[in-house]
Short mmCIF file of all heavy atoms in Angstrom, two decimals:
data_model
loop_
_atom_site.label_atom_id
_atom_site.label_comp_id
_atom_site.label_asym_id
_atom_site.label_seq_id
_atom_site.Cartn_x
_atom_site.Cartn_y
_atom_site.Cartn_z
N THR A 1274 58.43 85.23 111.37
CA THR A 1274 59.22 85.92 110.35
C THR A 1274 60.17 86.91 111.01
O THR A 1274 60.12 87.12 112.22
CB THR A 1274 58.30 86.66 109.37
OG1 THR A 1274 57.50 87.61 110.11
CG2 THR A 1274 57.37 85.69 108.65
N ILE A 1275 61.02 87.51 110.20
CA ILE A 1275 61.94 88.54 110.70
C ILE A 1275 61.35 89.91 110.42
O ILE A 1275 60.99 90.22 109.28
CB ILE A 1275 63.32 88.42 110.02
CG1 ILE A 1275 64.00 87.12 110.42
CG2 ILE A 1275 64.21 89.59 110.41
CD1 ILE A 1275 65.39 86.96 109.84
N SER A 1276 61.25 90.71 111.45
CA SER A 1276 60.71 92.07 111.30
C SER A 1276 61.73 92.98 110.62
O SER A 1276 62.92 92.92 110.94
CB SER A 1276 60.36 92.63 112.68
OG SER A 1276 60.10 94.01 112.61
N PRO A 1277 61.30 93.84 109.70
CA PRO A 1277 62.22 94.79 109.07
C PRO A 1277 62.89 95.73 110.07
O PRO A 1277 64.00 96.21 109.82
CB PRO A 1277 61.31 95.58 108.11
CG PRO A 1277 60.14 94.69 107.86
CD PRO A 1277 59.93 93.93 109.12
N GLN A 1278 62.23 95.97 111.21
CA GLN A 1278 62.80 96.87 112.23
C GLN A 1278 64.10 96.35 112.82
O GLN A 1278 64.84 97.10 113.46
CB GLN A 1278 61.79 97.11 113.35
CG GLN A 1278 60.70 98.11 113.01
CD GLN A 1278 59.55 97.45 112.25
OE1 GLN A 1278 59.66 96.30 111.84
NE2 GLN A 1278 58.46 98.17 112.05
N LEU A 1279 64.39 95.07 112.57
CA LEU A 1279 65.64 94.52 113.09
C LEU A 1279 66.83 95.25 112.48
O LEU A 1279 67.93 95.24 113.05
CB LEU A 1279 65.71 93.02 112.78
CG LEU A 1279 66.52 92.17 113.76
CD1 LEU A 1279 65.93 92.24 115.15
CD2 LEU A 1279 66.58 90.72 113.28
N GLY A 1280 66.62 95.87 111.34
CA GLY A 1280 67.67 96.66 110.70
C GLY A 1280 68.05 97.90 111.47
O GLY A 1280 69.03 98.57 111.12
N ASN A 1281 67.31 98.24 112.53
CA ASN A 1281 67.63 99.41 113.35
C ASN A 1281 68.63 99.10 114.46
O ASN A 1281 69.03 100.01 115.19
CB ASN A 1281 66.35 99.97 113.98
CG ASN A 1281 65.42 100.57 112.94
OD1 ASN A 1281 65.86 101.03 111.89
ND2 ASN A 1281 64.12 100.54 113.21
N LEU A 1282 69.04 97.85 114.58
CA LEU A 1282 70.06 97.49 115.58
C LEU A 1282 71.44 97.86 115.04
O LEU A 1282 72.26 97.00 114.74
CB LEU A 1282 69.97 96.00 115.90
CG LEU A 1282 68.68 95.49 116.52
CD1 LEU A 1282 68.75 93.97 116.72
CD2 LEU A 1282 68.40 96.18 117.84
N SER A 1283 71.69 99.13 114.95
CA SER A 1283 72.85 99.62 114.21
C SER A 1283 74.20 99.30 114.85
O SER A 1283 75.23 99.46 114.21
CB SER A 1283 72.73 101.13 114.00
OG SER A 1283 72.55 101.80 115.23
N PHE A 1284 74.21 98.85 116.10
CA PHE A 1284 75.47 98.51 116.75
C PHE A 1284 75.68 97.01 116.87
O PHE A 1284 76.69 96.57 117.43
CB PHE A 1284 75.54 99.14 118.16
CG PHE A 1284 76.03 100.56 118.16
CD1 PHE A 1284 75.20 101.60 117.77
CD2 PHE A 1284 77.33 100.88 118.53
CE1 PHE A 1284 75.64 102.91 117.77
CE2 PHE A 1284 77.78 102.19 118.53
CZ PHE A 1284 76.94 103.20 118.14
N VAL A 1285 74.75 96.22 116.34
CA VAL A 1285 74.86 94.78 116.50
C VAL A 1285 76.01 94.23 115.65
O VAL A 1285 76.22 94.64 114.51
CB VAL A 1285 73.53 94.09 116.15
CG1 VAL A 1285 73.28 94.08 114.64
CG2 VAL A 1285 73.48 92.69 116.70
N VAL A 1286 76.76 93.33 116.25
CA VAL A 1286 77.93 92.71 115.60
C VAL A 1286 77.66 91.25 115.27
O VAL A 1286 78.18 90.72 114.29
CB VAL A 1286 79.17 92.84 116.51
CG1 VAL A 1286 80.36 92.08 115.92
CG2 VAL A 1286 79.54 94.30 116.71
N GLU A 1287 76.83 90.60 116.10
CA GLU A 1287 76.50 89.20 115.89
C GLU A 1287 74.98 89.03 115.91
O GLU A 1287 74.31 89.45 116.85
CB GLU A 1287 77.13 88.31 116.98
CG GLU A 1287 78.65 88.34 116.97
CD GLU A 1287 79.25 87.41 118.00
OE1 GLU A 1287 78.48 86.76 118.76
OE2 GLU A 1287 80.49 87.31 118.07
N LEU A 1288 74.45 88.40 114.85
CA LEU A 1288 73.03 88.12 114.74
C LEU A 1288 72.88 86.64 114.41
O LEU A 1288 73.20 86.20 113.31
CB LEU A 1288 72.39 88.98 113.65
CG LEU A 1288 70.89 88.75 113.38
CD1 LEU A 1288 70.06 88.95 114.64
CD2 LEU A 1288 70.41 89.67 112.27
N ASP A 1289 72.41 85.88 115.39
CA ASP A 1289 72.30 84.43 115.25
C ASP A 1289 70.86 84.01 115.49
O ASP A 1289 70.38 84.01 116.63
CB ASP A 1289 73.23 83.74 116.25
CG ASP A 1289 73.35 82.24 115.99
OD1 ASP A 1289 72.50 81.70 115.25
OD2 ASP A 1289 74.29 81.62 116.53
N LEU A 1290 70.17 83.67 114.40
CA LEU A 1290 68.79 83.19 114.47
C LEU A 1290 68.69 81.75 113.96
O LEU A 1290 67.62 81.29 113.60
CB LEU A 1290 67.88 84.10 113.62
CG LEU A 1290 67.87 85.59 113.99
CD1 LEU A 1290 66.99 86.37 113.03
CD2 LEU A 1290 67.40 85.80 115.43
N GLY A 1291 69.81 81.06 113.95
CA GLY A 1291 69.87 79.72 113.39
C GLY A 1291 69.08 78.69 114.18
O GLY A 1291 68.77 78.87 115.36
N ASP A 1292 68.74 77.58 113.49
CA ASP A 1292 68.12 76.42 114.09
C ASP A 1292 66.79 76.76 114.77
O ASP A 1292 66.57 76.46 115.95
CB ASP A 1292 69.08 75.76 115.08
CG ASP A 1292 68.66 74.33 115.43
OD1 ASP A 1292 67.80 73.77 114.72
OD2 ASP A 1292 69.20 73.79 116.41
N ASN A 1293 65.91 77.42 114.02
CA ASN A 1293 64.56 77.71 114.48
C ASN A 1293 63.56 77.27 113.41
O ASN A 1293 63.90 76.45 112.55
CB ASN A 1293 64.42 79.20 114.79
CG ASN A 1293 65.04 79.59 116.12
OD1 ASN A 1293 64.53 79.24 117.18
ND2 ASN A 1293 66.17 80.32 116.07
N ASN A 1294 62.37 77.81 113.45
CA ASN A 1294 61.36 77.53 112.44
C ASN A 1294 60.91 78.82 111.77
O ASN A 1294 59.72 79.03 111.51
CB ASN A 1294 60.16 76.81 113.07
CG ASN A 1294 60.52 75.46 113.65
OD1 ASN A 1294 61.03 74.59 112.94
ND2 ASN A 1294 60.30 75.27 114.94
N LEU A 1295 61.87 79.69 111.51
CA LEU A 1295 61.57 80.98 110.89
C LEU A 1295 61.41 80.80 109.39
O LEU A 1295 62.00 79.90 108.79
CB LEU A 1295 62.69 81.97 111.21
CG LEU A 1295 62.94 82.20 112.71
CD1 LEU A 1295 64.17 83.08 112.91
CD2 LEU A 1295 61.72 82.83 113.38
N TYR A 1296 60.63 81.66 108.78
CA TYR A 1296 60.34 81.51 107.35
C TYR A 1296 60.13 82.88 106.70
O TYR A 1296 60.21 83.92 107.36
CB TYR A 1296 59.08 80.64 107.17
CG TYR A 1296 57.86 81.18 107.86
CD1 TYR A 1296 57.00 82.07 107.24
CD2 TYR A 1296 57.57 80.79 109.17
CE1 TYR A 1296 55.88 82.57 107.88
CE2 TYR A 1296 56.44 81.28 109.83
CZ TYR A 1296 55.61 82.17 109.18
OH TYR A 1296 54.51 82.66 109.83
N GLY A 1297 59.86 82.86 105.41
CA GLY A 1297 59.64 84.10 104.68
C GLY A 1297 60.92 84.63 104.06
O GLY A 1297 61.96 83.97 104.05
N GLN A 1298 60.85 85.83 103.55
CA GLN A 1298 62.02 86.47 102.96
C GLN A 1298 62.77 87.29 104.01
O GLN A 1298 62.18 87.76 104.98
CB GLN A 1298 61.60 87.37 101.80
CG GLN A 1298 61.04 86.60 100.60
CD GLN A 1298 60.87 87.48 99.38
OE1 GLN A 1298 60.80 88.69 99.47
NE2 GLN A 1298 60.79 86.85 98.22
N ILE A 1299 64.06 87.44 103.78
CA ILE A 1299 64.87 88.26 104.67
C ILE A 1299 64.66 89.72 104.30
O ILE A 1299 64.91 90.11 103.15
CB ILE A 1299 66.37 87.89 104.55
CG1 ILE A 1299 66.55 86.39 104.72
CG2 ILE A 1299 67.18 88.66 105.58
CD1 ILE A 1299 66.07 85.84 106.02
N PRO A 1300 64.21 90.55 105.24
CA PRO A 1300 63.96 91.96 104.89
C PRO A 1300 65.24 92.67 104.48
O PRO A 1300 66.28 92.52 105.14
CB PRO A 1300 63.37 92.53 106.19
CG PRO A 1300 63.80 91.61 107.27
CD PRO A 1300 63.88 90.25 106.65
N LYS A 1301 65.15 93.43 103.42
CA LYS A 1301 66.34 94.13 102.90
C LYS A 1301 66.82 95.20 103.86
O LYS A 1301 67.96 95.69 103.72
CB LYS A 1301 66.05 94.73 101.53
CG LYS A 1301 64.96 95.79 101.50
CD LYS A 1301 64.75 96.31 100.10
CE LYS A 1301 63.69 97.41 100.03
NZ LYS A 1301 62.38 96.98 100.50
N GLU A 1302 66.02 95.55 104.86
CA GLU A 1302 66.44 96.55 105.85
C GLU A 1302 67.64 96.09 106.67
O GLU A 1302 68.34 96.91 107.27
CB GLU A 1302 65.26 96.87 106.79
CG GLU A 1302 64.18 97.74 106.18
CD GLU A 1302 63.21 96.98 105.29
OE1 GLU A 1302 63.35 95.73 105.18
OE2 GLU A 1302 62.31 97.61 104.71
N LEU A 1303 67.91 94.79 106.65
CA LEU A 1303 69.09 94.30 107.37
C LEU A 1303 70.39 94.81 106.76
O LEU A 1303 71.44 94.71 107.39
CB LEU A 1303 69.10 92.77 107.39
CG LEU A 1303 67.98 92.05 108.16
CD1 LEU A 1303 68.31 90.58 108.31
CD2 LEU A 1303 67.74 92.68 109.53
N VAL A 1304 70.30 95.36 105.56
CA VAL A 1304 71.50 95.90 104.92
C VAL A 1304 72.07 97.07 105.72
O VAL A 1304 73.24 97.46 105.54
CB VAL A 1304 71.19 96.33 103.47
CG1 VAL A 1304 70.43 97.64 103.44
CG2 VAL A 1304 72.45 96.41 102.63
N ARG A 1305 71.27 97.63 106.64
CA ARG A 1305 71.74 98.75 107.46
C ARG A 1305 72.65 98.31 108.61
O ARG A 1305 73.21 99.15 109.29
CB ARG A 1305 70.53 99.51 108.03
CG ARG A 1305 69.63 100.12 106.97
CD ARG A 1305 68.78 101.23 107.55
NE ARG A 1305 67.85 100.76 108.56
CZ ARG A 1305 66.57 100.50 108.34
NH1 ARG A 1305 66.06 100.64 107.13
NH2 ARG A 1305 65.78 100.10 109.31
N LEU A 1306 72.81 97.01 108.79
CA LEU A 1306 73.64 96.50 109.89
C LEU A 1306 75.11 96.51 109.47
O LEU A 1306 75.74 95.48 109.27
CB LEU A 1306 73.18 95.09 110.28
CG LEU A 1306 71.71 94.96 110.68
CD1 LEU A 1306 71.38 93.52 111.04
CD2 LEU A 1306 71.37 95.90 111.83
N GLY A 1307 75.64 97.71 109.37
CA GLY A 1307 76.99 97.87 108.82
C GLY A 1307 78.11 97.34 109.68
O GLY A 1307 79.23 97.15 109.20
N ARG A 1308 77.85 97.09 110.98
CA ARG A 1308 78.88 96.57 111.87
C ARG A 1308 78.85 95.05 111.99
O ARG A 1308 79.67 94.45 112.68
CB ARG A 1308 78.73 97.18 113.27
CG ARG A 1308 79.03 98.67 113.35
CD ARG A 1308 78.84 99.17 114.78
NE ARG A 1308 79.34 100.52 114.96
CZ ARG A 1308 78.66 101.62 114.72
NH1 ARG A 1308 77.41 101.52 114.26
NH2 ARG A 1308 79.19 102.81 114.92
N LEU A 1309 77.89 94.42 111.33
CA LEU A 1309 77.66 92.98 111.49
C LEU A 1309 78.86 92.16 111.01
O LEU A 1309 79.31 92.29 109.88
CB LEU A 1309 76.41 92.57 110.72
CG LEU A 1309 75.73 91.26 111.13
CD1 LEU A 1309 75.25 91.33 112.57
CD2 LEU A 1309 74.57 90.96 110.20
N LYS A 1310 79.34 91.28 111.90
CA LYS A 1310 80.44 90.39 111.56
C LYS A 1310 79.98 88.95 111.39
O LYS A 1310 80.57 88.19 110.63
CB LYS A 1310 81.52 90.45 112.65
CG LYS A 1310 82.23 91.79 112.75
CD LYS A 1310 83.33 91.75 113.80
CE LYS A 1310 84.05 93.08 113.88
NZ LYS A 1310 85.14 93.07 114.90
#
Side-chain angles (χ1 to χ4, degrees):
T1274 59
I1275 294 182
S1276 168
Q1278 282 84 351
L1279 209 61
N1281 292 332
L1282 297 178
S1283 55
F1284 275 77
V1285 74
V1286 174
E1287 297 183 358
L1288 178 58
D1289 190 345
L1290 303 177
D1292 197 13
N1293 282 290
N1294 297 302
L1295 302 174
Y1296 57 89
Q1298 293 191 340
I1299 308 301
K1301 62 180 182 301
E1302 285 80 3
L1303 294 192
V1304 76
R1305 298 200 296 261
L1306 303 180
R1308 293 180 170 86
L1309 200 62
K1310 294 183 179 180

